[in-house]
Amino acid sequence: VKNTLLALKDTISGIENAYFAGEDGSFILDSKITDQNEIKAKGKEWYEYAKANIGEIYYSDVAIDQITGNSILAISRAVLDKNGKFIGVVGMDITLAEVKEYINSISLLENGYVTLVNNDGQVIIDNDRNKNQMENVSSNEYWSAFEGKLEGSSEWVTNNGMMFVSQVTNEATGWKIIG
């Protein structure tokens, strides 16, 4: 299992950690085998959600990785044996560094840019070209037009003139790219 996790991490760009947390207390990290006394998986949201929701994929909010200290998104899913019995959870932490690089590479017309936010409007990744950076966009006039919608556009008047904004939502995470 350790070699499979390491191969996964080495072949897919952006994976910070790949791991398996066994129901028996074992914990296999792509770089080592340990037990849950060092990394306590049981009780963690990514473990408990996957265990309680067999067949579904868990997507965390952005978090600071306890191993590397980097901003990550954790993804996990339950693992069943050949008889359908729950035996643990497999997961990976995806670094947001490459996502930030991607967000910064997008240009809209002359002055446009995109920002990545969660479903509450909390900014996950802001574009470096944004001169009005904020931690949460839910107080912006356009936000109410986007709440609960998978995609849409809005316009509003500011001191700088008429502004146009569009958004699309990732259904799995609830995150929105706003530009």
Side-chain angles (χ1 to χ4, degrees):
V1 173
K2 178 180 169 272
N3 291 336
T4 302
L5 295 172
L6 187 55
L8 177 70
K9 181 179 176 182
D10 289 343
T11 57
I12 299 175
S13 180
I15 295 180
E16 188 88 5
N17 303 299
Y19 42 88
F20 172 80
E23 181 70 353
D24 63 359
S26 61
F27 192 90
I28 303 170
L29 186 60
D30 53 59
S31 58
K32 64 182 176 178
I33 298 174
T34 184
D35 63 34
Q36 290 187 20
N37 289 327
E38 184 176 343
I39 300 174
K40 294 177 173 46
K42 289 184 179 181
K44 301 274 186 190
E45 188 173 351
W46 60 266
Y47 184 92
E48 297 302 330
Y49 180 93
K51 182 178 179 180
N53 298 278
I54 303 295
E56 291 185 27
I57 298 173
Y58 169 78
Y59 298 91
S60 73
D61 288 331
V62 174
I64 301 301
D65 181 67
Q66 65 184 26
I67 297 168
T68 65
N70 295 330
S71 294
I72 54 102
L73 164 68
I75 300 173
S76 63
R77 185 174 182 160
V79 177
L80 309 177
D81 68 12
K82 63 182 178 181
N83 298 316
K85 180 183 175 200
F86 175 80
I87 59 171
V89 174
V90 65
M92 67 179 90
D93 298 336
I94 300 173
T95 180
L96 295 184
E98 288 192 37
V99 178
K100 180 166 180 56
E101 187 176 310
Y102 174 71
I103 293 292
N104 280 321
S105 75
I106 298 172
S107 294
L108 304 174
L109 301 174
E110 288 180 30
N111 300 315
Y113 55 87
V114 298
T115 299
L116 182 64
V117 302
N118 71 11
N119 59 352
D120 294 324
Q122 183 72 35
V123 173
I124 297 168
I125 298 175
D126 207 345
N127 193 297
D128 291 341
R129 290 188 303 275
N130 183 359
K131 294 175 179 51
N132 300 310
Q133 293 184 351
M134 51 189 354
E135 292 182 16
N136 194 303
V137 299
S138 64
S139 63
N140 286 343
E141 191 174 319
Y142 62 79
W143 183 254
S144 62
F146 294 161
E147 282 187 294
K149 296 187 177 131
L150 293 178
E151 58 186 47
S153 296
S154 183
E155 57 185 57
W156 78 103
V157 178
T158 70
N159 293 338
N160 297 325
M162 181 67 74
M163 303 293 283
F164 300 92
V165 64
S166 294
Q167 68 90 16
V168 63
T169 304
N170 178 292
E171 290 184 63
T173 62
W175 293 1
K176 297 178 182 297
I177 293 180
I178 297 177

